[in-house]
Amino acid sequence: MSESVFNGYFSTAENADRTPRMRQLILSNELSFLMEAHDALSAAIAESAGFKGLWASGLSISSSLGFRDANEASWTQVVEAVERIVDAANIPVLVDGDSGFGNFNNARLAALKLWQRGAAGLCLEDKSFPKMNSFVGNEHALADITEFCGRLKAVKDTVPGEDFVLIARIEALIAGRGLDEALTRAHAYADAGVDAVLIHSRRSDAGQILEFARAWGNTRPLVIVPTKYYRTPVSAYREAGISTVIWANHNMRAAVIAMREVCERIFREESIAGIEGKVAGLEDVFSLLGYDELAAAEERYLPARAGSG
Ligand code: SPV
Ligand code: MG
């Protein structure tokens, strides 16, 4: 099957190595990129653009479901959204697991279910439940370090196999606590057994992140989310030895603009003639969803119709 169709669902065998592929992306010495997906269509489109891995974004999944990024969506709703993403793509999916949906017990249960549905890894942030999106307000209470290490260890001990990637996201800079606190936390989480750490910042320049990277060295692979410091060229991240960049919410934000423009124009013009060239053709949609696979399957499995064959 071609890689742009909506076919992960039918490719279980070919996709059995998705989890080691995510591990490879995170551990390799080359800079890797994960693209946000929040549903099946955004996943298939990101894959066909060339991305080798996906970020199942909490913000984007929440937004598409009509929830605030404050744990309003239940963990089972997140699992279901991730399942649609996994099915739609042939590339591995790293899940934004917020702060783990509660304590160690909620975190390990969610991790196990995500693994069962084909997720390749999980990122947990060191905040309490319910969390709030890192760019909203200034109240970001951090989890107790020892308690959060328990959450991480519980996930590690629960998910079978060696390949599922566990990433600890450090919110100390978001909470205004400074580099020392961020490093203390990162080392504690590395000792707890995570595969990589994600350092998050809400500043519009990458200074804090690059400072953290210098102090952190090669302790574990380092993942970043340059949503706010988007002007920094990725060459700076290569030089700093960063492992992975997550483009965290740009499919969802692109959809907002595209849908708004189309809705406003159709409303204004009382016509769809003007936008026909600006929206996906139906053939494009049918191709993304793999209608050709269904037609071929019908040939194979349905009895021949009267008058044919
Ligand atoms: C998300 O995509 O949900 C993230 C990244 O956690 S951000 O919203 O940029 O903090
Ligand atoms: Mg998030």
Side-chain angles (χ1 to χ4, degrees), residues 117-201:
R117 305 289 176 96
L122 178 65
C123 179
L124 293 183
E125 63 198 54
D126 57 354
K127 295 209 288 229
S128 45
F129 180 92
K131 57 71 64 84
M132 172 50 80
N133 182 274
S134 304
F135 305 130
V136 177
N138 294 314
E139 293 299 315
H140 293 282
L142 299 182
D144 172 78
I145 295 182
T146 309
E147 186 273 327
F148 187 69
C149 286
R151 271 184 249 174
L152 299 170
K153 284 184 195 148
V155 170
K156 263 275 172 240
D157 291 346
T158 302
V159 178
E162 296 295 309
D163 289 324
F164 189 77
V165 175
L166 178 61
I167 299 179
R169 165 167 156 180
I170 295 129
E171 291 281 288
L173 302 179
I174 297 289
R177 299 277 279 276
L179 187 63
D180 286 348
E181 173 83 26
L183 285 164
T184 301
R185 285 174 172 269
H187 283 288
Y189 307 154
D191 291 345
V194 298
D195 300 296
V197 301
L198 187 160
I199 183 71
H200 207 14
S201 164

Side-chain angles (χ1 to χ4, degrees), residues 257-267 275 278-279:
I257 292 289
M259 290 191 284
R260 184 181 288 136
E261 275 177 18
V262 159
C263 284
E264 287 176 357
R265 189 153 168 197
I266 294 174
F267 179 78
I275 54 85
K278 295 197 170 295
V279 294

Side-chain angles (χ1 to χ4, degrees), residues 55-60 69 96-98 125 131 133-134 169:
W55 165 250
S57 154
L59 171 63
S60 300
D69 186 18
D96 176 1
D98 292 335
E125 63 198 54
K131 57 71 64 84
N133 182 274
S134 304
R169 165 167 156 180

Side-chain angles (χ1 to χ4, degrees), residues 1-15 47 87-90 287-297 300-301:
M1 289 189 193
S2 79
E3 73 172 351
S4 62
V5 298
F6 182 50
N7 69 356
Y9 191 60
F10 297 108
S11 309
T12 312
E14 294 106 278
N15 284 329
E47 179 178 356
D87 284 353
N90 299 294
S287 164
L288 272 170
L289 276 289
Y291 280 61
D292 52 350
E293 189 281 336
L294 178 57
R300 212 171 315 126
Y301 301 121

